[in-house]
Amino acid sequence: MLRRKLTQKRHHDAEAIPKLEEDQGTNEQKRHFLYPELKMAQEEEKLASLEEAVLGGANNVVDILSQKSEIILEQKRRDEAEEESQKKWQDSDDEEDDKNRFEIDNPSWAGNFHDEDSADSDEEALVSHSHNVLASSTSLPSSSLSFKRVTDANKEDPSSDAIHSVQFHPKATVLLAGGMDNTLRLFAIDGCKNNKIHSAFLERTPVLGAKFSRDGSEIIIGSKHRSFYIYDLEGNDGFTFRPKVKGLQVSSMSQFEISPDGRFIAFLGNEGYVHLFSQKSHELVESLKTNGQVISVTFSADGKFLYTFGAEGRVYVFDLHTRDCIHNFLDDGCVSGKSIDVSPDRRYIALGDECGIVNVYNHESAMASREPKPIKHIKNLTTSCDEVRFNSHSEILALRTKSTNGGVRLVHLPSLTVFPSFPRSTELDLKTVLAMAFSPSSGYFALGNIRGKCPLYRLEHYSKY
């Protein structure tokens, strides 16, 4: 068609030239009028030759344009299908601006968390948000800890009451905060803005305990009653209420731990019981029994063993394959046990008691004796040690007490020395700390306090989120 139009135009121009010769008088006048028309005709011939060289003949032009149209339509169908399949949260209490901001700020993390490859982008996200505070990750030096206090994790939407739960998502750069105002809040952590991306309110249910499931697709919420809740992050189910189990030895289900292998939720019960629920079906699997009240539990990094610590100061170790107690030992000098954790490399066991003493044991030695001797007594806390927590590299042990303002300390491993600079003495706004958490690769360390804030630290030694 393009060639036909050009041919018609040339015929029209050829007919116009004689008319000009007939109408004009002198040769000088003829040249004056003919030159522009001849030049135009020559340019059109060149254009036609170029068109044929690039696109081929007229039939080929139609074919190529048709192929391009099909490619454009196919790409459009793919884009529409991808947009249709992408999952997004929708909440009646969110403003339109909040919805738009969620889709822009963090559109990729709330998809299907069963895909293990989704964790690959975490380092890129941290690099893009952390600017020049990143450093290479080698062995952590014992002399000093390089850290930076950054924007509070929940600055965009602080809690109106005390925060009892903080936890980082296992695969996305997202922090969960929950507390006494009955609200779960999720924040996109970048250390700068930490935009709020979601919130959910629970009627008459303070969030005393909340944790992500191992694959990150759900949030388990404990309660002060003999029941708990599941919040679905992938679908549209929202909150699912799990009613109390008849005959269950438990007065509340606010304290629990999630197994790293994705199999169990361990709820602390009464009279020495620990109740194992399935992470998949959320049904009771079995109840384990110890002597004395259980105060704290933890899993081994592979999820094969459960460790309990209680009021009598004795540790019980259960094989979760057979559900048998395979070992127990007495914590040296313990008055009443308060907290326990096992390092991810299974090199250390840390035990905190109500006097603030933290005993660190060599794991192998502790498992070989009923009365092992600790390799270190840490006495930097003067009040009850309510929580002990190893980071993912087994290089830092965090200690927390809720009985004093700013009651958090970080211990270097394997030197077992306390970092004197953390927290800084000028940080008077920490107040009573009720929760703490490391991000998956220890790039961040978060706290939750009685004022409803989440102080956030960038541990500059670690390059990954």
Side-chain angles (χ1 to χ4, degrees), residues 334-408:
C334 179
V335 175
S336 179
K338 295 291 290 184
S339 54
I340 182 173
D341 198 22
V342 176
S343 63
D345 61 2
R346 291 190 71 187
R347 227 179 130 183
Y348 306 102
I349 300 175
L351 305 172
D353 73 3
E354 68 174 12
C355 295
I357 303 297
V358 177
N359 286 336
V360 180
Y361 294 85
N362 175 279
H363 184 277
E364 185 177 354
S365 299
M367 293 296 291
S369 172
R370 291 296 181 90
E371 295 184 359
K373 296 299 179 182
I375 56 178
K376 181 73 174 182
H377 297 284
I378 302 174
K379 304 177 181 179
N380 291 73
L381 299 181
T382 57
T383 55
S384 175
C385 181
D386 299 297
E387 185 177 6
V388 291
R389 187 73 58 188
F390 289 97
N391 77 333
S392 58
H393 297 271
S394 302
E395 293 180 324
I396 300 176
L397 173 64
L399 319 177
R400 179 182 65 81
T401 178
K402 63 182 179 182
S403 302
T404 59
N405 287 339
V408 179

Side-chain angles (χ1 to χ4, degrees), residues 313-325:
R314 187 170 289 275
V315 175
Y316 291 85
V317 184
F318 290 87
D319 183 335
L320 294 180
H321 177 68
T322 62
R323 315 285 165 74
D324 294 328
C325 180

